[in-house]
Amino acid sequence: MNALSALSGLTTGARRDPGWQVQLRVDYVVNQVMQTHRGQSEDAVKQAIQDQLRVYGVVPNKRQISQYAHAISSLPQLPPTSR
């Protein structure tokens, strides 16, 4: 008897660690906030990360968010782009 093609991928090395989708969402949000909130206060950056993570259904880890906010707030602001 042959395995179903849709289920066979689940048994042949396609396993991922629990929470991989959550980490992808965190990475996406942090990258977005890094583009828009560089050089702003840590509180503003934290709030932006928390707000955007909640949109994606992620409950933020306060320690991780603080580390991201500290790093993003210490970056220089990007110069305005001319169109």
Side-chain angles (χ1 to χ4, degrees):
M1 186 168 164
N2 294 333
L4 295 174
S5 61
L7 297 177
S8 64
L10 295 174
T11 60
T12 58
R15 294 183 183 192
R16 297 184 188 249
D17 293 331
W20 67 274
Q21 289 180 336
V22 171
Q23 188 59 47
L24 284 177
R25 292 173 184 170
V26 169
D27 292 345
Y28 176 77
V29 166
V30 167
N31 284 324
Q32 293 297 315
V33 171
M34 191 181 312
Q35 293 175 14
T36 59
H37 289 75
R38 293 172 69 133
Q40 295 184 13
S41 70
E42 280 190 47
D43 291 334
V45 175
K46 278 184 199 177
Q47 191 63 46
I49 292 172
Q50 290 173 351
D51 292 346
Q52 290 187 29
L53 283 176
R54 288 199 173 105
V55 168
Y56 290 104
V58 176
V59 177
N61 176 323
K62 291 183 184 206
R63 185 176 9 173
Q64 184 181 26
I65 299 307
S66 293
Q67 291 172 345
Y68 286 133
H70 177 72
I72 293 170
S73 67
S74 66
L75 294 172
Q77 290 186 337
L78 293 174
T81 58
S82 60
R83 291 186 180 189

